[in-house]
Amino acid sequence: MRPSDIHCSSAIHIDRELPGDKSISHRAAIIAAIGDGESVIQNRATGADVVSTLQCLSQLGVEIETSATEIRVKGKGLNGLQKADRHLDCGNSGTTARLLAGVLAGQPFESVLAGDESLSRRPMRRIAHPLRRMGAGIQISEDGTLPMTISGSVLKGLSHTLEAASAQVKSCLLLAGMYAQGETTIFETIPTRDHTERLLPFIRKEFLPDGHKLTVQGGCSILPFNITVPGDFSSAAFLIAAGILIPDSHIRLRRVGLNPTRTGLLDVLEKMGAQVTIENHVVDAIEPFGDIVVSYNGETLHGCFLDEKIIAGIIDEIPILAVLGTQTDSGLEIRNASELRNKECDRIRAIVYNLRQMGAEVDEFEDGLFVHPSNLRPAAIKTFGDHRIAMAFTIAAMAAGGVSTLDDSECVAISFPGFMKYLGIEPTDRHRELLSC
Ligand code: S3P
C-alpha cells in the first residue's frame, strides 16, 4: 500500500492515446487461447487485472508473449488446454474469474480459481448455478464466493435469463456454451457490454421487444485474429472529469473505445450540460473508437436522476459521476445500482464515506445515493483498495484544492498504472495527515 498526497491542481493538458480497454483485452486473450493459430492483440490493457488473466492462461498451457503494447497468443484450439498444476490466481479480477470459469467448465479436468481478499468476497453463485445446470461440477464457499473448484465435464446447452445485468455472467455462459452439446441461449433484459459477442461473430444476436437473445452453438472453432484494442473508455472517464472540473484544462484522448454499451457516461454528461465532443469517430470496426475532446468552461452542471436502464452502461463510471454530482445545480440521484455493493469494494459505501470526508452532503440508499450540490474540501481519502475509488477521488481532490491524502495510490495499477502520470502527479510517500496549502 503506497500513500500519496494529491495537491491542488493547475490546469491539465493531455493530448494522447490511452492504454487498451481492459474488458476487451481479457476477452481477446481468453478467446485467442481457445482459438486456432496465433492471434495478436495490439494496444493491450496494461493493468494488473489482465496480467492475472495471462498468468492463468499460461498455467493452462497456453504460450503467450507480451511486450509493453502487444500480446501474442498461440491458441490451443477449443480442446487443447492442460490442467494447471496448482490453483489459478485471479488476483483482483472478477472478469478473469468469471470468464475463465465458463471455459474451465467444459474441460476434462479439475481447476481451482482463487483470488485476493477483495475478489474472495464477491458473489459467484450467479455463475455457479447456471454452470451446474449445464452439467459442470462447481464447488464454492458457503457464502457463495471463491475459491471455486470446477470439475469440468461434457456440458449440455442451456437457456438462461440473466437475473442481474452482468456482462461477466453473460460472457461466462457464452464461453461455456462453446463447449456444450446443442445450443446455449442467454436472454438479457438490460443490455450489457457486448465485447464477447463482437469477438465471436458466430454468436447470434436477436433484438426482442423486451431485451436481447444471444445464441451460441457448441463446438464452433475460433480463427486466429489480429485486433488493435481501442483506449479504455473507463480510464478515459476520470480524465474527462478532470477536464470538466479543473479550470483551464484541455483534454484530447485519442482512439478511445466508443462501444455504445460502454459510453453511457457521455449520454449522462450531455444531460448534465457538459461540453464533451467526439472527433474522428470510426464505427465500422469490431469495436468503434474516436477522439474525446473536453475543454473546461466553468459552467455549473445540471442535476440528474439515473436509474435502472442506464446503470449497466455507466456501472464503472459511477464513482466519478458521483464526484461530478457535487458540482451540479440540483444534485445527482443514482438508484437501482445495488450491484455497486458487489464490486472491488462496496462502492456505494466508499463513495459516500469519501464524499462526506470532503464535506459533501450525501444520502445513502441500499441501491444508490443522492449527492447534493456541495463544495469539496481537501480530506484524507480511503480507497478501500479499489482502483476506481482511488482515481475518482484523486480527481475530486485535485478539484477541491489544498492537499488531500490518498491511503493507497498503487491500487490504480489494477486498471490504469499510468493514471497519476497522465495528470502530472508524481506520487510521494510523505504521510497521511492532511496538510493545507
Ligand atoms: C466487466 C463487467 C462489469 C464491470 C467490470 C468489467 C466485464 O461487471 O463492472 O468492471 O469486463 O465484463 P459485471 O458484469 O459484474 O456488471
Side-chain angles (χ1 to χ4, degrees):
M1 212 155 75
R2 187 172 173 193
S4 51
D5 298 341
I6 309 296
H7 294 249
C8 56
S9 179
S10 51
I12 308 283
H13 295 282
I14 302 173
D15 180 354
R16 53 190 291 196
E17 291 188 15
L18 288 174
D21 184 86
K22 176 161 89 75
S23 289
I24 300 173
S25 299
H26 280 297
R27 287 162 169 77
I30 293 171
I31 289 168
I34 56 169
D36 298 322
E38 182 173 283
S39 293
V40 182
I41 302 160
Q42 279 158 344
N43 194 40
R44 71 185 186 96
T46 49
D49 268 8
V50 170
V51 174
S52 295
T53 289
L54 298 179
Q55 282 169 351
C56 290
L57 292 172
S58 301
Q59 279 182 259
L60 292 164
V62 183
E63 258 183 74
I64 297 176
E65 269 175 48
T66 50
S67 71
T69 57
E70 194 177 279
I71 310 172
R72 282 177 182 269
V73 181
K74 289 210 177 101
K76 305 287 282 184
L78 211 51
N79 297 305
L81 297 181
Q82 292 156 19
K83 182 175 167 43
D85 55 7
R86 60 195 160 84
H87 75 263
L88 297 159
D89 183 358
C90 304
N92 193 249
S93 173
T95 309
T96 307
R98 296 196 178 113
L99 269 59
L100 277 183
V103 171
L104 295 171
Q107 305 303 319
F109 52 77
E110 187 177 284
S111 307
V112 180
L113 293 172
D116 70 5
E117 217 186 301
S118 149
L119 183 56
S120 302
R121 284 194 299 264
R122 297 178 66 183
M124 294 294 158
R125 287 197 182 101
R126 53 186 63 193
I127 56 168
H129 288 161
L131 288 176
R132 280 184 192 131
R133 280 174 55 215
M134 293 179 86
I138 308 281
Q139 274 177 277
I140 45 177
S141 79
E142 264 182 29
D143 296 333
T145 56
L146 298 183
M148 178 184 288
T149 303
I150 302 175
S151 307
S153 155
V154 178
L155 303 177
K156 49 184 189 291
L158 173 80
S159 176
H160 182 76
T161 301
L162 296 178
E163 281 164 28
S166 167
Q168 292 177 355
V169 176
K170 172 178 69 174
S171 301
C172 165
L173 300 178
L174 289 173
L175 290 167
M178 295 200 53
Y179 290 91
Q181 289 171 340
E183 275 187 357
T184 293
T185 307
I186 311 295
F187 296 92
E188 59 176 3
T189 47
I190 294 175
T192 62
R193 61 192 72 193
D194 62 356
H195 308 302
T196 305
E197 299 89 298
R198 285 173 184 259
L199 282 169
L200 294 174
F202 47 77
I203 292 177
R204 226 172 47 236
K205 192 164 188 171
E206 290 164 67
F207 298 94
L208 308 175
D210 52 350
H212 293 156
K213 178 179 169 191
L214 302 161
T215 307
V216 64
Q217 183 72 43
C220 289
S221 55
I222 300 165
L223 298 173
F225 58 90
N226 192 330
I227 185 171
T228 300
V229 181
D232 196 323
F233 182 83
S234 295
S235 299
F238 302 104
L239 305 177
I240 294 171
I244 293 171
L245 293 176
I246 298 169
D248 302 326
S249 295
H250 184 78
I251 314 275
R252 176 182 288 271
L253 303 167
R254 296 181 184 268
R255 299 177 68 90
V256 178
L258 295 173
N259 178 320
T261 61
R262 292 288 296 283
T263 53
L265 174 73
L266 296 180
D267 304 329
V268 176
L269 289 176
E270 193 181 345
K271 271 202 210 165
M272 292 169 95
Q275 296 283 325
V276 180
T277 51
I278 303 298
E279 294 177 12
N280 304 317
H281 200 167
V282 176
V283 287
D284 60 347
I286 301 179
E287 289 284 351
F289 59 90
D291 301 347
I292 301 177
V293 183
V294 192
S295 293
Y296 177 82
N297 66 8
E299 279 178 29
T300 306
L301 300 169
H302 307 312
C304 208
F305 175 76
L306 307 174
D307 87 345
E308 203 170 4
K309 286 244 154 58
I310 182 100
I311 295 302
I314 57 169
I315 190 76
D316 292 340
E317 285 64 69
I318 290 176
I320 191 63
L321 259 173
V323 170
L324 288 167
T326 61
Q327 306 305 307
T328 56
D329 52 10
S330 58
L332 177 72
E333 182 163 2
I334 298 170
R335 299 306 290 258
N336 275 292
S338 49
E339 267 303 303
L340 285 175
R341 296 199 184 271
N342 297 323
K343 296 294 176 186
E344 285 81 333
C345 72
D346 175 343
R347 284 191 178 152
I348 295 179
R349 188 175 146 233
I351 294 168
V352 170
Y353 174 88
N354 285 307
L355 283 179
R356 286 185 182 155
Q357 284 289 103
M358 299 189 83
E361 190 186 343
V362 194
D363 305 325
E364 177 173 358
F365 309 112
E366 191 42 45
D367 68 342
L369 67 167
F370 181 78
V371 183
H372 295 258
S374 310
N375 288 324
L376 296 177
R377 59 167 191 248
I381 305 299
K382 234 170 117 175
T383 61
F384 299 85
D386 182 324
H387 55 131
R388 298 198 205 282
I389 296 297
M391 291 188 274
F393 282 91
T394 296
I395 303 297
M398 292 174 85
V403 181
S404 295
T405 57
L406 201 64
D407 66 348
D408 176 9
S409 57
E410 286 187 343
C411 63
V412 303
I414 289 296
S415 61
F416 192 5
F419 172 71
M420 296 287 178
K421 284 217 165 125
Y422 271 73
L423 295 169
I425 302 173
E426 281 302 333
T428 61
D429 284 356
R430 277 203 296 139
H431 48 67
R432 296 167 189 222
E433 282 112 51
L434 278 172
L435 303 168
S436 56
C437 101

